[in-house]
Structures are given as C-alpha cells and as structure tokens.
C-alpha cells in the first residue's frame, strides 16, 4: 500500500508539470500580458519594455515557466495586474467556493443516491421511469438555464431563497446555487446508483442475506448499499474537483466571489497570473481527489489489493 | 441497525407424529413478459426431524424453486404462489405475517446455497457475516457475536479460525467457503436445513468432505435436511428418502435403497441408467433423449411423455396421479407396475 501511494505520487509529477505548463503557455504566450494591462489604450513603448523586463517576459518560455514554478513553491503566485497578490485573491475566493462545493456535494450525495436507490429497487415501475425522465431532463438542460430559471422563480418571484449571495456568503444563501451546481452531477449519481442497485439486488449474496432472516432495512442498508455504492463513490470523488472548477457559471449567476468568479475575471482581463495560479491549484485538487478515490476503492472493496 | 428482538417460539402445538415440514399441493408460477411459467405444479413432500429428504431432478425441474418457496425468498412478483400450503410444525407459513416469517428464516429454517463465492457478500468479512446471525436474531454485541463466529468456524473445521475470522470470502478456498456457508446455516441451530446443491461447485474430494460434515452435523443437532441435487452419487450415502421431480411435479418418491434397486418411473430409470458405470467402460453413455420441457408450455398429459420410451396414447392425454405403491413409495406413471418389474 505504501509503495503504491509513493508510485502514484511520483506519477502525479509529470501530470502536474504537463498540465501547468500547457496552461502557462496558453495564457502567457498566446496573449500579450502587457497590452492587456493597458486595456484599450496603446502603452508607451518605453514603459512597456520596462514592464516586460521586470516580468521576465523577454526570457525564453521554459525559463519563465521555471521561474513561475519556483515562485509557487515559495508560496508566491505572482501579482495580479491591479497590484493584489494572487495568493490574497485565493485566500478570499477559495473559502467561498469550498463552501459552495460542500453544499452542492451534500445535495448531490443525499438526493442523487436517494433517487438512485429508490429507482433501482423498483426497476421498471413508475418511480423508476420518473427518476429516469427527471435525470435526463436535468442532464440535457444547460446549467445557465436552470440557474437563471431557479434564480428568477424561486429567488425573485416566490422569494423562497435569496436570489444572490451576499459578500459574507451564508450557508443558507448557498442552497439555491448549490442545487444548480449539483444538478447535472446529481443526475449522473442517481443513474449510476440506480444501475448498480438494480444489478446487485438480484445477486446471490442478497438472496443469502434474506435467507438469513435479516430485516429488509439491514439487507438493503448493509448488504446492498455497501456493494452498490463502490462505483458511485468513485464518481463522487472525481466529481469534487469538477464541482470546484465547474462553478464558474453558477458563481457568475449568483454573484459568488469564488474561484469561478476570479477565473472568469482573470480570463476576461487576460490577467495571466490569476488564471495560471487558480488553475494550478485546481489541478492539484483534481490529482489529490483522484488519488484518494483510488485508495478508497481498496478500502471499500477488499478484493482489490494494491502492490 | 442491531435489532434486539428474540426469536419467538413457534406457537403451534407439536405432536410427535407430525412432520417438521409439510408441503402440500404447492404451485409456483412466474409471471413474465412471455407468459406464465409454471415452475412448480402441485408438489407434496414432508420432512421429519433427523430425516434427510433428497430432492432429485434436472435443472428447471422446480426443485430449487420449491425450496425457495419454503424459505420464503422468492421474489414476488414475478413469482406467485396461487395454491398450496407450506406447514412448518403445523403452522402454514404462507399465511403468516412477513415479520413472523422473517424470524423463522435463519433461526428455525436455514439454507445452504450452491456457489458460496457468489452467495457470500464479497465486501464483508466472514466473521461479520457469521456474527450477523447472532446480532440480529439474538441481539448479541459485536464482540460476543464475533466470538461465536470463531466457535462456528471451529465447528465446521476451518483451521486457525481465530486468525481467519477477519478474512474475506475470496481469501478462502472453495471447500472452506462452503464450510462457512454451512456454519452460517447452523449458527442458530435451526430445526430444518435446506441445502441447494451444496457440493456442485466443489472438487470431488472436497465434495465428500463437505457432505460428510453436513451429515455429521445433521445427526448431532437432529435436524431435518432437504438435500437438493442432481447428483445421484451424493444422494445414496446420506438420504433417507428421495423425491424425484420433473417439470414442477414429483414423479416418484421412495426410500433411498428401493429407488435405486427398483425405480417405479421411467424418468427415474433413465436417470439411474445415465450414471456412468465401470463395467460398461467403452460403451456409449446412456442419455435420456430430448430436453426438459419449456415450462411456458408444459406438455399435455404426462409431462414426460415426449421423452418416455414407454409412452402410450393415455400418456399424451391424461396426467397420471401419484399412485401409492407401498410404504412411502409413490409413482406418477400410468404404467408403474410394468416399470417396477421391467
């Protein structure tokens, strides 16, 4: 197990370098950061040259990348063009996004698994068809549509929930954005759970559990769920990264000053240090989530042993 | 999750003569998209304490379905029991409440399944799965239940039980896994055990060991045993009486030795003749011609007539009754007299 973890960590190094280098090249090399700083006005050539020099923009690309990476490992993500250190932006953005992700994740797990179990145990019946149609609908409607619709009807018309999130970001305010963010993943979780439950409920060991005289709730809660949730948990693990990075649309709609909001602003203003910095952190989150899922797999399914 | 309810005593009076389990005119059908599959069509059998009944038949003869109906583990729907009685100590289990029935399962009537690898939960340790019996039915603590699980594993002769109690099913050999299934069935010292082809998935040498263990434990606890099998070799050593099933019906019942000596149904005769014998080495093996009937369309008359070498006109129109030949001997053949003496 220990060796497996070390090997996996080592495998992450090239993935990390590869992804961050790609992002770096796309953001720095394909745009002109100095021009972006000045917006619509043409910069004074002397000043531009000076800024270029101070930002090492005249060095070869790989050298710039190395300098940037060296900075990251010292905790220095560079400075956004308005003078705020990127790490400061992260400090304010990540807590908000993490809160939103947790709310969305909780909804995804509870509602998604719940619907999946109910549908899987009554396969082919009315509830099952209902869940299938509902999830198909959720999957096919883009997030910005559900987002604006829910914001308008539940937030504005009915006023059941706040239509936008305040600066303090209360958990209660995050319920509506959480539902919007969780939507598509929730539908996938429900479908995955349904298939898994429907398959396992006919298995021999469930028949054995029934023959042992266990109460129905124990047959389902211990024997059926324990087996059926293995693939679902794998999906959920990798989805955490997707939720954090995918909150751009949701955060825009509900005005949450999180990672998605900062990334959006960064891309819009060609604010290279912000974009590269945030994406680098998201890459790390993805990699860590994947590793944890793989390790969890061995805990959940004893038949899998890592060497 | 641990429920603390005790298993209640079965409230029915027990007179000494009445059998432990009595199945009367049991019908089971499955409602499928293609139509109604009549899997069991009027089965009668009984088992007393300490007695072993072997139920013999090909795949699809309804022997397992009958057993699952007795256990109460059929999926209903699609399964349906339109007629019949299953009396355990005189009480009809089909009219019992679901909860009363559940408390009998595992505690009074236990079942051993064919393939222990797929029948044990792959992600729970064997200790947990064995201990669950005590935790659920007797309300024992996790720790006490685990101690009982080790005792059980010792009882079925699993070496180093204490060290292996936390292992998972896939870490055991086939024979050891089947011993764990047996241990699980025995946990609460039930009065009746149904073993559904308990040795089919095992090597021949291991088969004998497992069968011996089962027979030994049955004697020790004076349990009734229903042994479902298609292996005539297994039956001869352990069974007291045999019921042969075909197309959801019992076609012959007999004390074990009489059946071997003198089968009273052409189907039984065919089964016996298809056992490979040493003195016929080199000759072609005998096989009953044709295939078992499709239970969606059971043939009219005697269900066996399309494959029967003795079939006459009457066999194609009239279903034979189960004729009584003697003490404990019955045959559902119009020509049982000729068959016995032929």
């Amino acid at each position: 197990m220990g060796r497996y973890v070390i090997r996996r960590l080592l495998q992450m190094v090239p993935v990390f370098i590869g992804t961050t280098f790609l992002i770096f090249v796309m953001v720095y090399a394909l745009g002109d950061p100095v021009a972006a700083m000045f917006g619509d006005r043409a910069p004074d050539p002397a000043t531009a040259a000076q800024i270029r020099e101070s930002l090492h923009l005249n060095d070869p690309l790989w050298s710039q990348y190395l300098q940037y990476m060296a900075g990251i490992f010292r905790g220095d993500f560079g400075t956004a063009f308005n003078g705020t250190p990127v790490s400061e932006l992260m400090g304010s953005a990540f807590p908000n996004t993490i809160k939103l992700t947790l709310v969305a994740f909780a909804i995804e797990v509870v509602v998604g698994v719940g619907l999946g179990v109910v549908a899987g145990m009554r396969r082919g019946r009315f509830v099952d068809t209902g869940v299938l149609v509902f999830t198909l609908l959720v999957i096919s409607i883009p997030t910005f549509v559900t987002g604006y619709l829910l914001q308008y009807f539940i937030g504005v018309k009915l006023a059941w929930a706040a239509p936008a999130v305040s600066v303090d970001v209360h958990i209660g305010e995050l319920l509506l954005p959480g539902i919007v963010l969780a939507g598509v993943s929730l539908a996938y979780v429900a479908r995955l759970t349904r298939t898994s439950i429907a398959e396992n409920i006919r298995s021999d060991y469930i028949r054995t559990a029934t023959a042992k005289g266990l109460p129905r709730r124990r047959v389902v809660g211990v024997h059926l769920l324990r087996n059926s949730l293995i693939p679902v948990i794998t999906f959920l693990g990798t989805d955490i990264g997707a939720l954090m990075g995918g909150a751009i649309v949701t955060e825009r709609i509900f005005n949450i000053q999180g990672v998605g909001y900062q990334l959006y602003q960064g891309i819009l203003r060609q604010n290279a240090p912000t974009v590269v910095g945030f994406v680098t952190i998201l890459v790390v989150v993805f990699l860590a989530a994947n590793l944890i899922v793989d390790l969890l797999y061995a805990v959940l399914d004893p038949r899998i042993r890592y060497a | 999750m641990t429920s603390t309810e005790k298993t209640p005593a079965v409230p029915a009076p027990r007179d000494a003569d009445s059998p432990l389990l009595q199945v009367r005119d049991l019908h089971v059908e499955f409602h499928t998209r293609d139509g109604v599959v009549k899997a069991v069509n009027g089965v009668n059998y009984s088992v007393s304490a300490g007695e072993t009944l072997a139920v013999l038949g090909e795949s699809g003869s309804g022997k397992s379905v009958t057993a699952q109906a007795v256990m109460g583990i059929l999926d209903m729907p699609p399964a349906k029991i339109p007629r019949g009685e299953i009396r355990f100590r005189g009480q009809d289990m089909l009219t019992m409440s679901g909860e009363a029935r559940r408390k009998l399962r595992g505690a009074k009537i236990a079942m051993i399944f064919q393939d222990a690898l797929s029948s044990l939960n792959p992600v729970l340790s064997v200790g947990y799965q064995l201990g669950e019996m005590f935790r659920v039915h007797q309300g024992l603590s996790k720790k006490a239940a685990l101690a009982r699980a080790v005792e059980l594993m010792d009882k079925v002769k699993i070496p180093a039980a204490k060290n292996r109690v936390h292992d998972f099913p896939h870490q055991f050999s086939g024979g050891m896994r089947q011993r764990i299934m047996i241990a699980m069935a025995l946990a609460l010292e039930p009065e009746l055990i149904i073993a559904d082809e308990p040795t089919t998935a095992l090597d021949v040498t291991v088969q004998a060991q497992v069968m011996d263990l089962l027979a030994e434990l049955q004697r020790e606890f004076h349990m009734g045993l229903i042994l479902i099998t298609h292996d005539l070799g297994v039956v001869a050593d352990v069974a007291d009486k045999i019921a042969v099933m075909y197309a959801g019906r019992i076609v012959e019942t007999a004390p074990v030795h009489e059946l071997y000596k003198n089968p009273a149904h052409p189907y039984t005769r065919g089964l016996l003749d298809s056992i490979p014998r040493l003195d016929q080495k080199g000759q072609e093996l005998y096989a009953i011609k044709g295939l078992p009937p499709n239970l969606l369309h059971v043939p009219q008359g005697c269900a066996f007539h399309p494959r029967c070498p003795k079939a006459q006109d009457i066999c194609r129109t009239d279903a034979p009754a189960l004729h009584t030949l003697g003490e404990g001997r019955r045959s559902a053949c119009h020509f049982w007299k000729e068959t016995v003496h032929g």
Side-chain angles (χ1 to χ4, degrees), chain B residues 21-249:
Chain B
L21 179 85
Q22 212 164 7
V23 177
R24 274 189 211 146
D25 193 32
L26 183 72
H27 290 251
V28 181
E29 45 195 41
F30 292 90
H31 291 252
T32 69
R33 213 165 286 183
D34 302 325
V36 178
V37 176
K38 295 194 170 167
V40 178
N41 305 301
V43 161
N44 294 279
Y45 62 53
S46 66
V47 190
S48 306
E51 188 181 43
T52 300
L53 165 74
V55 181
L56 211 67
E58 291 166 293
S59 322
S61 60
K63 54 194 196 305
S64 290
V65 175
T66 309
Q68 287 176 21
V70 171
M71 258 335 259
I73 55 170
L74 283 171
D75 276 329
M76 303 208 261
K80 226 174 129 178
I81 302 181
R83 255 196 297 164
E85 282 176 7
I86 301 172
R87 292 190 174 275
F88 181 71
R89 295 181 148 230
Q91 208 187 6
D92 189 1
M93 295 202 291
L94 293 178
T95 55
M96 258 182 212
S97 77
E99 187 62 9
R101 191 107 196 256
R102 174 183 73 72
K103 285 177 180 165
L104 286 179
R105 274 202 288 274
K108 298 289 171 202
I109 310 176
M111 188 152 178
I112 299 167
F113 294 97
Q114 183 181 133
D115 181 1
L117 182 59
S118 65
S119 297
L120 291 168
N121 193 324
V123 302
L124 299 173
S125 73
V126 298
Y128 182 92
Q129 294 186 59
L130 289 169
E132 215 177 13
M133 299 296 286
F134 303 108
R135 288 172 62 197
V136 169
H137 287 280
Q138 299 179 343
L140 256 57
S141 72
K142 230 174 175 165
K143 208 174 145 195
L146 204 66
R148 295 295 304 274
V150 176
E151 280 171 31
L152 274 176
M153 286 167 74
D154 274 329
K155 183 105 210 153
V156 296
K157 298 171 188 149
I158 291 172
K162 220 184 176 98
N163 301 321
R164 304 217 61 186
V165 71
H166 294 293
D167 283 358
F168 293 93
H170 70 276
Q171 290 165 303
F172 290 85
S173 69
M176 289 299 147
R177 268 198 296 270
Q178 197 54 276
R179 282 164 195 263
I180 288 164
M181 281 252 65
I182 292 174
M184 203 185 284
L186 279 173
L188 303 173
E189 297 179 16
E191 295 172 55
L192 177 69
I193 287 202
I194 303 173
D196 191 353
E197 310 214 7
T199 60
T200 308
L202 304 175
D203 291 343
V204 181
T205 47
V206 183
Q207 275 185 13
Q209 291 170 11
V210 169
M211 240 10 264
D212 288 347
L213 175 73
L214 194 58
E216 186 188 316
L217 294 167
Q218 185 215 359
R219 270 196 301 279
E220 187 182 330
F221 294 111
H222 199 64
M223 297 176 298
L225 175 66
I226 299 177
L227 182 66
I228 297 164
T229 182
H230 57 249
D231 186 343
L232 283 155
V234 169
V235 171
D237 300 331
V238 292
D240 298 309
K241 57 185 188 185
I242 298 189
V244 181
M245 283 189 72
Y246 188 82
R249 278 203 183 87

Side-chain angles (χ1 to χ4, degrees), chain B residues 239-313:
Chain B
D240 298 309
K241 57 185 188 185
I242 298 189
V244 181
M245 283 189 72
Y246 188 82
R249 278 203 183 87
I250 289 185
V251 293
E252 179 170 4
T253 56
V256 65
H257 296 294
E258 286 183 43
L259 184 117
Y260 277 81
K261 236 186 316 181
N262 237 340
H265 194 283
Y267 177 62
T268 317
R269 175 145 296 220
L271 282 181
L272 290 172
D273 286 344
S274 51
I275 303 175
R277 278 163 48 183
L278 269 180
D279 59 328
Q280 291 174 346
K281 209 176 159 188
Q283 292 176 31
E284 204 176 319
L285 283 175
Y286 176 81
I288 304 174
K289 64 178 174 140
L291 291 170
N294 177 351
L295 294 175
L296 273 170
H297 311 285
V298 181
Q300 271 220 323
C302 171
F304 187 60
H305 83 255
R307 304 171 73 187
C308 184
K310 293 192 162 68
Q312 309 283 327
D313 284 343

